[in-house]
Amino acid sequence: MKVTANSRNDNIKRINEIYKVLKENDFGYLIEENTFFKRFPFLRNKKYQEEVAVLDETVPIRIRNVLEQLGPAYIKLGQMLSTRPDLVGIEIAEELQQLRDNTPVTPFDEMKPLIEEELDAPIDEIFSSIDETPIGSASIGQVYKATLKEEDMEVAIKVQKPNIQEIIESDLKIMKFLATRVDRFISSSRVYNLPAMVDEFDRSILKELNFTEELMNLQRLSANFRGVSYIKIPDAYMDYCSEKVLTMELIKGVEVTDLIKGDYPEIDKKKIANYGLKSYFKQMMIDGFFHADPHPGNLIVTEDQKLCYIDAGMMGILNDDFKEDLAELILLMISGNSSNIINQLIYMDIITTSQNTPELQDDIDSLMNLYYGAELRNMDGAMEALLNVMIKNNIVLPKEFVMIGRGIAIIEDTGKKLDPNFNAAAELKKLSRKIITNKFKPKRMSKVGINYLLQLEHLAKGLPDTIRNTATKIEDGNLEVKLRHEQINELANQLSVSLILSSMIIGSSLAIIGGAGPKIWDMSAIGLIGFVFSAVLGAFLVIEYMIERD
């Protein structure tokens, strides 16, 4: 297939680039099979050779290669999908977890004008010194070490790369275009619901592009951990922050990734593992505001041996009801009652009653049998295993529930690498019991009761208006009723037979009364035969009805 470049249309040039990368990784058919692309400068070969994707062990690797080659927006898409195994499958999600921002470092000369524009002042008026070599670089931004002139404080400056927002917004348009067309023309792709996937990514990436949101996340995390001596959240300097620049306290210490690999006798690894466990479960089960990606690279052990969370661009949020329901689910998992686990998942709207199949029940039974009788510390991984069971049964899960499962799995894995005797399940059980106990405390019950009373009051206030409006519609003949008919064909057939039977009885009665036609026992033969046939048909309908009722 020949690809024609068009310098006057950046979008078409970008689609050309995407096609080339797809073709290099044996995914060219995704575009070539899409006949809509004939309207664009893609000319199919006269002799079309179908490129069928072979669903083997190389597919996840090839997908990762495609995303890495396509740049920032696609790398971020892959990183998001790595947290959604329910959408892309476990194998692909695990491969995408290896995605790293590998974009080249943008020279400081190009970053400096953006910093000055965003902070509305020359750099040397704000910072007494700044290291022009970034201490961190990603697809969206770069981080520099500097010293604030007025505060004489070392800081880290996170700066968004020039024009990155325009680049990502352009790629998003192309992603939506491709997702819609591929979903329309390639039926095998519809199982992934690509348009919905891209829409979710759209919402996610636009939040990351706004550093003001990360600033607010840091402030909320800091407030939640106020008084917790072993956790550190970087302070932000609001006077030097904007949508594209975030100035925060420079955290010095050892990244947990390095702590796992290296030998640091001055650091108590067991204590750090316990800090990570308690702090993450506090975020999730108590605060309802938790770090969406607590992998070791986002955790630093400070010089005074506190645990610090960095990169608060994406956070998960849980309401009180969901936290309580989650605590009940965890306790049910620890007790090993599979029937109650399924009922709880339905109650939490994680699965529907139609998804409660015998296969799902058997899989959860097998999972619970695996953990039955095991020591509590050997139950680590149970939440992730439950997620995998539901993914295996093609259940698309709520984003927050997947984030919880993945977060717990990361904390468990990190904890065991730091401490072989690490026990996450015991802490989960203790927290869950505390939440359930708090649920039935008088103060909590009083708060819930007041909420219910307010809802009843609002309902009572609105009821007269609702009744009056309904009555008015009935009087005016404007009331519309929508019915959902089950087994409509059978109902129509039964109704047709009943109408025929009624007509035959009436007709036979008229024939007998009028004495029409030949006579049998001084009665109209036509009417008599009609009555006999009606009796047989009526008896058949009654018997059939009784059989169906049984």
Side-chain angles (χ1 to χ4, degrees), residues 32-45:
E32 291 178 357
E33 284 187 2
N34 189 342
T35 57
F36 184 89
F37 280 79
K38 287 181 179 179
R39 300 181 188 179
F40 289 84
F42 296 135
L43 304 176
R44 298 167 65 93
N45 293 327

Side-chain angles (χ1 to χ4, degrees), residues 2-18:
K2 184 180 179 182
V3 179
T4 305
N6 187 341
S7 59
R8 293 173 300 178
N9 191 319
D10 291 336
N11 284 344
I12 292 180
K13 285 178 65 178
R14 183 58 171 154
I15 293 174
N16 273 318
E17 293 171 7
I18 292 170

Side-chain angles (χ1 to χ4, degrees), residues 62 69 89 175 179 205 210 241 316 330 354 364 368 383 429 503:
R62 287 188 281 128
Q69 293 174 45
M175 280 184 197
I205 191 67
N210 186 352
C241 294
I330 290 169
S354 62
I364 292 181
M368 291 300 100
M383 179 64 77
K429 182 178 181 180
S503 300

Side-chain angles (χ1 to χ4, degrees), residues 456-520:
L456 286 172
E457 182 200 13
H458 294 158
L459 179 64
K461 283 182 177 179
L463 192 58
D465 289 336
T466 302
I467 294 174
R468 181 170 58 253
N469 292 337
T470 303
T472 301
K473 288 182 179 180
I474 293 173
E475 289 176 358
D476 296 341
N478 293 329
L479 185 67
E480 295 182 1
V481 179
K482 295 182 179 180
L483 298 175
R484 181 181 175 184
H485 299 288
E486 302 288 345
Q487 299 176 326
I488 187 68
N489 291 334
E490 293 183 17
L491 180 63
N493 292 338
Q494 292 175 2
L495 182 60
S496 299
V497 173
S498 300
L499 289 173
I500 293 171
L501 179 61
S502 301
S503 300
M504 289 181 65
I505 292 173
I506 294 172
S508 300
S509 301
L510 292 173
I512 290 175
I513 293 171
K519 301 290 193 295
I520 300 178

Side-chain angles (χ1 to χ4, degrees), residues 334-352:
I334 292 173
S335 69
N337 191 318
S338 56
S339 296
N340 287 342
I341 288 172
I342 292 174
N343 290 336
Q344 183 71 5
L345 290 170
I346 293 173
Y347 176 74
M348 295 172 70
D349 290 328
I350 292 172
I351 65 173
T352 63

Side-chain angles (χ1 to χ4, degrees), residues 23 33 76 118 213 247 276 279 420 464 504:
K23 192 172 180 66
E33 284 187 2
K76 285 295 181 184
E118 288 294 313
E213 183 142 352
T247 304
S279 62
M504 289 181 65

Side-chain angles (χ1 to χ4, degrees), residues 112-352:
K112 181 180 177 181
L114 187 145
I115 298 173
E116 294 180 331
E117 180 183 351
E118 288 294 313
L119 301 184
D120 196 26
I123 276 186
D124 54 9
E125 288 185 10
I126 302 173
F127 305 103
S128 57
S129 66
I130 184 168
D131 189 346
E132 297 184 4
T133 301
I135 57 176
S137 179
S139 55
I140 286 180
Q142 294 176 178
V143 181
Y144 295 91
K145 178 181 175 181
T147 302
L148 281 173
K149 178 178 285 188
E150 188 172 337
E151 289 81 356
D152 192 27
M153 176 73 68
E154 283 191 309
V155 294
I157 315 168
K158 185 176 180 180
V159 187
Q160 198 172 113
K161 290 184 176 180
N163 304 318
I164 193 65
Q165 184 160 346
E166 291 77 7
I167 292 170
I168 287 179
E169 286 176 352
S170 175
D171 271 353
L172 277 171
K173 291 178 182 177
I174 294 171
M175 280 184 197
K176 292 179 180 180
F177 172 80
L178 292 176
T180 302
R181 299 314 187 270
V182 170
D183 185 74
R184 178 183 300 176
F185 292 109
I186 301 178
S187 58
S188 60
S189 71
R190 289 172 194 155
V191 66
Y192 297 110
N193 194 357
L194 296 178
M197 199 182 292
V198 173
D199 285 342
E200 181 177 332
F201 172 64
D202 187 356
R203 292 189 293 271
S204 171
I205 191 67
L206 291 179
K207 285 184 177 182
E208 283 200 57
L209 287 170
N210 186 352
F211 287 177
T212 303
E213 183 142 352
E214 183 172 355
L215 171 63
M216 291 188 291
N217 291 342
L218 285 172
Q219 291 175 327
R220 184 169 176 181
L221 267 180
S222 182
N224 289 343
F225 280 108
R226 188 175 293 123
V228 180
S229 60
Y230 57 84
I231 294 297
K232 172 67 179 174
I233 305 298
D235 291 327
Y237 298 89
M238 295 186 63
D239 291 340
Y240 311 106
C241 294
S242 70
E243 287 189 6
K244 297 180 179 180
V245 174
L246 180 60
T247 304
M248 52 193 160
E249 179 183 1
L250 179 68
I251 302 298
K252 296 180 180 180
V254 179
E255 195 176 283
V256 173
T257 304
D258 297 328
L259 182 62
I260 291 171
K261 297 176 182 178
D263 183 22
Y264 296 86
E266 73 279 11
I267 298 178
D268 187 339
K269 293 185 178 182
K270 184 175 181 179
K271 188 180 291 186
I272 296 302
N274 191 46
Y275 289 168
L277 174 69
K278 287 186 174 181
S279 62
Y280 190 71
F281 286 170
K282 176 187 183 301
Q283 293 174 62
M284 184 179 67
M285 306 291 288
I286 304 297
D287 303 331
F289 184 73
F290 61 98
H291 201 289
D293 192 15
H295 69 76
N298 282 334
L299 300 171
I300 294 177
V301 181
T302 65
E303 293 176 337
D304 54 355
Q305 295 209 28
K306 294 181 179 181
L307 186 65
C308 179
Y309 284 86
I310 60 173
D311 192 2
M314 291 300 296
M315 305 293 293
I317 300 176
L318 306 175
N319 59 35
D320 289 341
D321 289 339
F322 193 93
K323 287 187 294 182
E324 292 170 358
D325 293 340
L326 179 63
E328 292 172 4
L329 176 64
I330 290 169
L331 290 178
L332 289 172
M333 289 178 64
I334 292 173
S335 69
N337 191 318
S338 56
S339 296
N340 287 342
I341 288 172
I342 292 174
N343 290 336
Q344 183 71 5
L345 290 170
I346 293 173
Y347 176 74
M348 295 172 70
D349 290 328
I350 292 172
I351 65 173
T352 63

